[in-house]
Amino acid sequence: MDEQTRLMHSHTGVGMAGHPGLPQKQDIGDILQQIMTITDQSLDEAQARKHALNCHRMKPALFNVLCEIKEKTVLSIRGAQEEEPPDPQLMRLDNMLLAEGVSGPEKGGGSAAAAAAAAASGGVGADNSAEHSDYRAKLTQIRQIYHTELEKYEQACNEFTTHVMNLLREQSRTRPISPKEIERMVNIIHRKFSSIQMQLKQSTCEAVMILRSRFLDARRKRRNFNKQATEILNEYFYSHLSNPYPSEEAKEELAKKCAITVAQVSNWFGNKRIRYKKNIGKFQEEANMYAARTAVNAANASSHGSQANSPSTPNSAGSAGSFNMSNSGDLFMSVQSLNGDSYQGAQVGANVQSQVDTLRHVISQTGGYSEGLTANQMYSPQGINVRMFFFLSFSPYQLFQSHRAQNGT
DNA sequence: GTAAATGATTGCTC
DNA sequence: GAGCAATCATTTAC
C-alpha cells in the first residue's frame, strides 16, 4: 500500500460514531499531527501527504469552514486598521527632492536649484559659473545615485512581492487565503520597502543640503569685481554725484553691464555712498579722474558728431526715464531724470557732470559757480540745479570748445 | 606680514 | 523695502 492510499484509508476508514463520514476528534488530531510533522518529512513524502490531504473527502467542507472563519477574522483586522494618512515626513522629503531637482523630471533641475541657491545667497555672477557647473555636476551625481538606488529598491520590492504572492497563491490551495489578505500582505511589504526608501530619501536630502551649504559658503567668499565692472559703476556714481541713487531700471542695466546681480549693484552703491561721504577728500582724485575721462569721451563723441554734421542722439529711441532735449545749438542730448534714469541716460549725465567739473575754470570766469560744483555737494538740491542750469546752457561741443580755448589747445 | 581696499552682512531707522 | 552705519571677512598692494 502506498503512502497516499494509506493516508486515504486512515482517514476514510474512521468515522464518527453514529455519523458515518464525519471525522472524530481522534481523526482530526491525526490530521493536524500529520500537518504539523509535514515539514520534518522529505520533499517527496511531504508532497505525497499534501496530495493525500488535498484529496481527502472532507477537505472541501473543512476548507470552506476555515475560509468563512478566516474571512471574518480578516475583515475584523481590516476594519481595525484604517487607511493610513500619508507620512508628513515622507511628503517633506519628496517635496524637497522635487524642489532640488533630484526627483521628478530632469529639466535642468541642477541649474535651477543652483540658481535658486544663488538667488538665496544674493545672486550669481558670470565669474562664478565654474562653481555653478561644479554644483550642477555634483547634484547630477546625487540624482543618478538616488535613481539607481531607488530602482534597485523598487526592483527588489517587486521581486519580493511577486515571490510572496506566488507563495500565498500556492498556499491558498491548502489553507484559506483570500485575495484581500494577499493584498494586505502586499501592502505590508510595500510599507516595509517604503520605509527603506525613506531612509534613502533622507540620506539624499542630507547630501543635497551639504552640497548646497558648501556651494553657498563658497559663494560667500568675497571676490572683487573686475576692473571693467568697477569702472562702469564708478562712472555712474561720479556722474550722478548729486543724486547717486540709481533707479531699479538703472540698477538692472548696470548689473547686466557689469555681469553682477542687482543686489550686488545695490551693495556697491550703498558702500560707495557711505565711504564717499565719510572721506570725500580721499575720493576727490577719483572723482576728478572719472569726470575728466567722461568729459573727454563726451567731447570726442561731440566733435565726431559735429564733423559728421549729425547731432549726438544717444538712446534716441528712449528708454524708460530718459528723454531728449533740444539744446541751444543743433546738438541733442539725452537728459536723465534725477531719479529714474536709464544707464544710457546716465552716461550722458556723466558727460555733463564731468564737463562741468573739468571746465570749472571756464564757468568760474562766466558766473563764479565753481564752489557750487564741488563734489562736496553730493546731497545738495542746489547743486543739482546749478549743474542742470549749466548743462542746459551749454552744449557739450560748446563746453569743449570753451575748454580748448581756455587751454589754448 | 600688514594695512588698505572692498564686497557682503547685519541691525536699525524711516 | 530701501538706505544707512557698523562690522566682518576676504583680497590686494606694498
Side-chain angles (χ1 to χ4, degrees), chain A residues 249-300:
Chain A
E249 288 94 12
K251 279 183 193 172
E252 279 169 23
E253 195 70 33
L254 285 168
K256 208 154 65 173
K257 283 211 163 211
C258 301
I260 56 177
T261 64
V262 173
Q264 284 176 306
V265 172
S266 297
N267 279 340
W268 190 92
F269 273 89
N271 285 326
K272 191 74 181 178
R273 278 191 299 266
I274 196 90
R275 283 164 187 164
Y276 181 84
K277 212 167 94 173
K278 270 187 179 173
N279 197 350
I280 292 169
K282 197 182 79 181
F283 287 97
Q284 192 61 60
E285 200 182 330
E286 192 179 63
N288 290 341
M289 187 193 80
Y290 278 101
R293 188 187 297 179
T294 45
V296 168
N297 289 344
N300 284 340

Side-chain angles (χ1 to χ4, degrees), chain A residues 120-139:
Chain A
S121 73
V124 60
D127 52 345
N128 290 318
S129 56
E131 285 172 23
H132 199 126
S133 63
D134 189 38
Y135 178 89
R136 207 161 46 217
K138 281 179 178 157
L139 196 70

Side-chain angles (χ1 to χ4, degrees), chain A residues 227-240:
Chain A
K227 215 172 176 180
Q228 199 190 351
T230 310
E231 292 204 347
I232 291 169
L233 293 166
N234 271 318
E235 271 180 24
Y236 188 98
F237 181 81
Y238 288 112
S239 65
H240 293 74

Side-chain angles (χ1 to χ4, degrees), chain A residues 307-337:
Chain A
Q307 281 165 5
N309 200 24
S310 68
S312 168
T313 56
N315 196 29
S316 56
S319 59
S322 69
F323 56 93
N324 291 333
M325 178 178 267
S326 102
N327 218 321
S328 55
D330 58 351
L331 293 170
F332 288 80
M333 289 197 75
S334 174
V335 181
Q336 77 276 13
S337 66

